[in-house]
């Protein structure tokens, strides 16, 4: 389904603009708008709730892709749904899928061909009827803002495909995305049928959010952090009945080393969603409480956003394997601070400025890319700047920023924070003991400044050599440094705490030194000692979609598995 051809690359290039993380807030608003119409239809025709779910899912995508509110009769919606179902159920449904040479036989020797040709003609006619009025509106200049108007058919984008390719690109997005959402909404409804007590509790939580303040209102995406039980139900639905039982195979285009395994190019991967989702006690039961901790709260209040981020990240990781890498000098996008390796002026933090335990985030403030005082920062701005300036995948930077908002009990979408808020020392937060650049918070409460002695000790442990002959940290160096630091922290800090999550996070911090900075001591020195971008520097990650979690976690596990603090106790 995905081919390494120029035609496919052209489609992926324009699709990136549709799926980029910066559009999430806009899409959330469209979902909320279309939800009102869905609720109205529930009241008018409750027996057709499943049809209203499909209309809602298609309406959201129709607004995003085409720009208009959906105004299609039920018959046209039924035809569109039929296209999706036939497309999915026909995969591997022909001998030709297994024996492609059969397609080269003369037509009269292919009795199956008529069936598939008629199906293709029907699909084309359905897509054409939806596409033609939108294309005409764009051509005469009357179309509202949309993916089709502003990206696919915009003259500055230079999409290389013809009109028919553009039609299939736009309409297939709606077909695939709308049907998955519809099925998930249907499963949610059926899940509540099986557990009426869950439905009652969900309703109570939604009512509480909707009646806060002086007037009644509908819940919004930004309210999800205040609805922990709803979050557990969403997570339970996604596990209970996966909408895509078998994820279509993906094939490596180059060799891959991950988690100690060597996987050769051309290997195909098939993900069994049902098998993964069945690895739970009493797997066939819908039990959202399995996602609730002992205090009765959801351990991940942003579960919906997190689920989307992980799925999104896997897609980007695969695309990184398939697409050409960025060229040196063009890693930071044009228009962003740091483009062309030119960074804004560095101004050290003053005693009144707020700073975090993270050198990279602090550097953004020290260079004025985030507010220099480190205060009143939007989580969405943190996500955008971390992504652009360090070339993290948008899924990665979104997940990290959303995680920070969650442990502060704030909304990623609407709230703000000070950098010092990242210093919260808790089991569900990111600040941890045995940091390689800070003494433990019990010993040094101000985590906004690096400890120069610790930093120098780390830098002097480098045993590797870069291509230019300069010193370079290796994975073995960092595993050893982590081992020594954890042993030292246990000896010197009576309040020392250690969890598997914090150990993993410590190894993740170390892994950024190897990925974003390539382990190069000459680049790590200004970043770790002064929290300053090196001169003439850009991230060492050249992946087209940035460093994805799926690619990064293999290195994190490699480091953590080789940590052995007992050797230094």
């Amino acid at each position: 389904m995905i081919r390494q051809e120029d035609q496919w690359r052209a489609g992926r290039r324009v699709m990136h603009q549709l799926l980029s993380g910066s559009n999430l807030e806009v899409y959330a608003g469209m979902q909320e708008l279309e939800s009102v119409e869905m609720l109205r239809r529930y009241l008018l025709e409750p027996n057709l709730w499943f049809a209203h779910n499909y209309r809602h899912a298609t309406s959201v995508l129709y607004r995003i892709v085409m720009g208009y509110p959906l105004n299609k009769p039920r018959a046209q919606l039924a035809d569109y749904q039929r296209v999706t179902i036939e497309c999915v159920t026909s995969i591997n449904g022909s001998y030709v899928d297994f024996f492609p040479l059969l397609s080269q036989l003369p037509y009269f020797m292919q009795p199956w061909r008529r069936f598939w040709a008629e199906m293709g003609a029907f699909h084309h006619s359905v897509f054409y009827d939806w596409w033609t009025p939108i294309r005409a509106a764009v051509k005469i200049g009357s179309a509202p803002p949309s993916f089709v108007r502003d990206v696919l058919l915009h003259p500055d984008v230079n999409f290389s495909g013809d009109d028919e390719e553009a039609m299939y690109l736009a309409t297939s997005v709606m077909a695939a995305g709308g049907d998955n959402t519809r099925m998930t909404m249907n499963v949610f409804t059926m899940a509540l049928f099986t557990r009426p007590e869950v439905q009652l509790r969900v309703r109570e939580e939604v009512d509480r959010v909707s009646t806060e303040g002086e007037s009644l209102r509908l819940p919004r995406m930004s309210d999800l952090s205040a609805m922990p039980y709803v979050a557990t139900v969403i997570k339970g639905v996604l596990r209970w009945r996966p909408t895509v039982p078998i994820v279509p195979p993906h094939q490596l285009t180059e060799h891959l080393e991950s988690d100690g395994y060597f996987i050769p190019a051309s290997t195909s991967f098939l993900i069994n969603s049902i098998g993964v989702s069945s690895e739970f006690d009493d797997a066939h039961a819908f039990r959202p409480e399995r996602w609730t901790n002992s205090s009765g709260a959801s351990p991940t209040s942003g579960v919906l956003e997190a689920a989307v981020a992980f799925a999104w990240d896997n897609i980007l990781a695969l695309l990184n394997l398939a697409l050409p890498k960025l060229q040196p000098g063009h890693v930071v996008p044009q228009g962003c601070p740091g483009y062309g390796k030119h960074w804004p002026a560095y101004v050290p933090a003053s005693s009144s400025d707020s700073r975090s335990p993270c050198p990279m985030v602090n550097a953004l403030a020290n260079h004025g890319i985030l507010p220099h005082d480190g205060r009143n920062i939007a989580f969405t701005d943190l996500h955008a700047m971390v992504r652009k300036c360090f070339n993290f995948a948008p899924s990665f930077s979104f997940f990290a920023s959303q995680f920070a908002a969650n442990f502060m009990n704030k909304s990623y979408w609407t709230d703000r924070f000070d950098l010092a808020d990242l210093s919260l020392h808790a089991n569900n937060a990111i600040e941890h003991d045995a940091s390689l650049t800070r003494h433990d918070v019990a010993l040094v409460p101000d985590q906004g400044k690096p400890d120069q002695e610790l930093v120098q000790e780390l830098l002097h442990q480098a045993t590797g050599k870069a291509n230019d002959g300069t010193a370079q940290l290796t994975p073995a160096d960092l595993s050893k440094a982590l081992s020594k630091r954890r042993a030292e922290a246990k000896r010197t800090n009576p309040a020392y705490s250690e969890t598997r999550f914090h150990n993993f996070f410590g190894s993740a911090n170390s892994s950024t030194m190897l990925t974003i900075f390539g382990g190069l001591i000459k680049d790590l020195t200004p970043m770790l000692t002064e929290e300053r971008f090196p001169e003439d520097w850009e991230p060492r990650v050249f992946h087209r979609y940035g460093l994805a979690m799926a690619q990064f976690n293999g290195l994190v596990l490699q480091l953590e598995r080789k940590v052995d603090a007992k050797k230094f106790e």
Side-chain angles (χ1 to χ4, degrees):
M1 297 180 71
I2 298 180
R3 305 177 306 279
Q4 287 302 299
E5 300 171 357
D6 290 340
Q7 177 183 348
W8 176 80
R9 291 191 179 98
R12 283 307 315 168
R13 179 170 56 83
V14 296
M15 284 292 289
H16 171 65
Q17 301 185 51
L18 175 66
L19 301 173
S20 65
S22 58
N23 290 321
L24 288 176
E25 291 181 71
V26 177
Y27 299 165
M30 291 181 178
Q31 285 180 287
E32 291 164 4
L33 183 64
E34 291 295 339
S35 294
V36 176
E37 174 62 18
M38 179 177 65
L39 294 176
R40 186 184 73 85
R41 289 178 178 272
Y42 280 161
L43 292 174
L44 293 176
E45 298 177 294
N47 59 314
L48 293 177
W49 57 272
F50 52 90
H52 306 327
N53 288 348
Y54 179 65
R55 174 179 281 274
H56 167 79
T58 307
S59 295
V60 173
L61 284 164
Y62 194 76
R63 278 187 181 271
I64 294 170
V65 176
M66 304 298 195
Y68 291 95
L70 185 64
N71 186 23
K72 301 286 185 182
R74 192 167 293 165
Q76 278 193 292
L77 287 173
D79 284 345
Y80 209 86
Q81 188 172 9
R82 174 185 160 188
V83 168
T84 305
I85 294 172
E86 288 182 348
C87 179
V88 173
T89 57
S90 66
I91 296 174
N92 293 336
S94 168
Y95 296 116
V96 181
D97 291 334
F98 301 95
F99 305 102
L101 288 176
L102 292 176
S103 63
Q104 299 179 21
L105 293 172
Y107 280 11
F108 73 88
M109 297 179 65
Q110 299 183 48
W112 59 84
R113 193 179 187 95
R114 179 178 177 182
F115 170 80
W116 297 106
E118 290 176 352
M119 178 189 291
F122 172 71
H123 292 185
H124 184 277
S125 67
V126 172
F127 284 160
Y128 187 80
D129 288 344
W130 285 55
W131 169 254
T132 303
I134 306 301
R135 180 192 58 187
V138 172
K139 186 169 292 188
I140 65 175
S142 63
S146 68
F147 168 68
V148 169
R149 191 199 76 173
D150 301 326
V151 178
L152 195 55
L153 298 184
H154 197 283
D156 293 342
V157 174
N158 294 321
F159 173 60
S160 58
D162 57 25
D163 183 71
E164 186 151 301
E165 290 164 351
M167 175 188 76
Y168 275 109
L169 192 64
T171 51
S172 61
V173 169
M174 295 192 300
D179 213 54
N180 275 302
T181 305
R182 168 192 70 86
M183 289 188 287
T184 302
M185 294 172 69
N186 288 354
V187 170
F188 170 78
T189 305
M190 291 185 284
L192 296 191
F193 286 160
T194 70
R195 294 286 303 277
E197 71 280 10
V198 171
Q199 179 179 358
L200 179 61
R201 188 170 172 185
V202 166
R203 179 174 178 173
E204 289 172 349
E205 196 166 67
V206 171
D207 285 347
R208 174 178 53 76
V209 170
S210 301
T211 56
E212 289 178 347
E214 298 180 356
S215 60
L216 297 174
R217 64 173 179 84
L218 291 174
R220 298 185 291 266
M221 281 285 194
S222 58
D223 292 320
L224 191 59
S225 60
M227 297 188 292
Y229 189 70
V230 169
T232 66
V233 172
I234 294 170
K235 193 167 187 177
V237 165
L238 295 173
R239 183 211 66 83
W240 187 50
R241 295 292 186 269
T243 58
V244 183
I246 300 295
V247 177
H250 294 75
Q251 188 177 73
L252 288 181
T253 58
E254 59 185 43
H255 298 321
L256 174 67
E257 291 189 30
S258 177
D259 198 15
Y261 293 93
F262 173 78
I263 307 171
S266 299
T267 300
S268 292
F269 290 86
L270 192 69
I271 301 173
N272 183 350
S273 301
I274 292 180
V276 173
S277 299
S278 298
E279 294 185 357
F280 291 82
D281 294 336
D282 196 14
H284 293 291
F286 176 68
R287 286 171 37 205
E289 54 272 15
R290 74 172 80 236
W291 306 107
T292 306
N293 60 30
S294 57
S295 67
S298 167
T300 52
S301 59
V303 62
L304 178 59
E305 293 96 331
V308 171
F310 282 120
W312 178 25
D313 187 82
N314 287 329
I315 294 172
L316 296 181
L318 289 167
L319 290 172
N320 280 336
L321 296 174
L323 296 177
K325 295 186 183 297
L326 298 169
Q327 294 298 311
H330 298 278
V331 176
V332 178
Q334 188 170 5
C336 177
Y339 173 71
K341 305 183 181 181
H342 302 298
W343 297 96
Y346 167 77
V347 180
S350 68
S351 58
S352 61
D353 291 331
S354 181
R355 289 296 183 265
S356 77
C358 177
M360 294 164 64
V361 172
N362 290 347
L364 293 174
N366 289 339
H367 285 266
I369 299 170
L370 291 176
H372 188 271
D373 65 359
R375 302 185 188 280
N376 198 34
I377 299 171
F379 290 99
T380 51
D381 289 341
L382 176 68
H383 154 63
M385 291 300 102
V386 167
R387 175 174 66 86
K388 294 176 182 178
C389 293
F390 295 105
N391 199 26
F392 282 100
S395 50
F396 198 157
S397 56
F398 168 76
F399 175 79
S401 303
Q402 184 232 22
F403 184 86
N406 287 342
F407 75 68
M408 295 180 202
N409 291 319
K410 293 186 176 184
S411 167
Y412 165 85
W413 304 103
T414 60
D415 287 341
R416 293 174 174 267
F417 71 105
D418 296 344
L419 290 183
D421 295 338
L422 295 171
S423 298
L424 175 67
H425 188 78
N427 287 338
N428 67 330
I430 59 176
E431 197 285 319
H432 57 91
D433 288 338
S435 163
L436 295 179
T437 65
R438 267 85 168 155
H439 280 296
D440 296 348
V441 68
L443 306 178
V444 181
D446 182 5
Q447 293 290 295
K449 299 177 182 177
D451 183 272
Q452 296 299 331
E453 184 177 340
L454 285 177
V455 171
Q456 291 302 325
E457 181 181 356
L458 168 65
L459 297 175
H460 281 95
Q461 293 186 64
T463 63
K465 292 291 183 182
N467 292 335
D468 60 1
T470 59
Q472 184 179 36
L473 283 169
T474 68
D477 295 336
L478 286 167
S479 293
K480 181 179 178 181
L482 289 165
S483 302
K484 292 174 63 177
R485 184 71 187 97
R486 290 176 192 174
E488 177 192 17
K490 288 179 183 178
R491 289 194 304 268
T492 59
N493 178 13
Y496 178 78
S497 64
E498 181 178 317
T499 67
R500 184 173 298 178
F501 166 72
H502 280 154
N503 285 345
F504 187 88
F505 197 84
S507 292
N509 290 337
S510 300
S511 297
T512 61
M513 300 184 202
L514 299 176
T515 51
I516 304 299
F517 292 90
L520 300 176
I521 297 301
K522 64 180 181 181
D523 291 340
L524 286 168
T525 298
M527 178 57 66
L528 298 182
T529 59
E530 302 175 73
E531 300 183 332
R532 170 177 65 83
F533 285 102
E535 299 292 336
D536 194 36
W537 179 86
E538 67 180 355
R540 304 291 176 174
V541 173
F542 295 94
H543 295 310
R544 177 70 53 174
Y545 285 96
L547 181 62
M549 291 180 282
Q551 296 165 301
F552 180 72
N553 287 341
L555 178 59
V556 176
L557 290 170
Q558 177 186 343
L559 262 62
E560 183 60 30
R561 283 179 173 177
K562 295 182 179 179
V563 173
D564 187 1
K566 293 181 180 179
K567 290 183 178 180
F568 299 92
E569 290 179 352

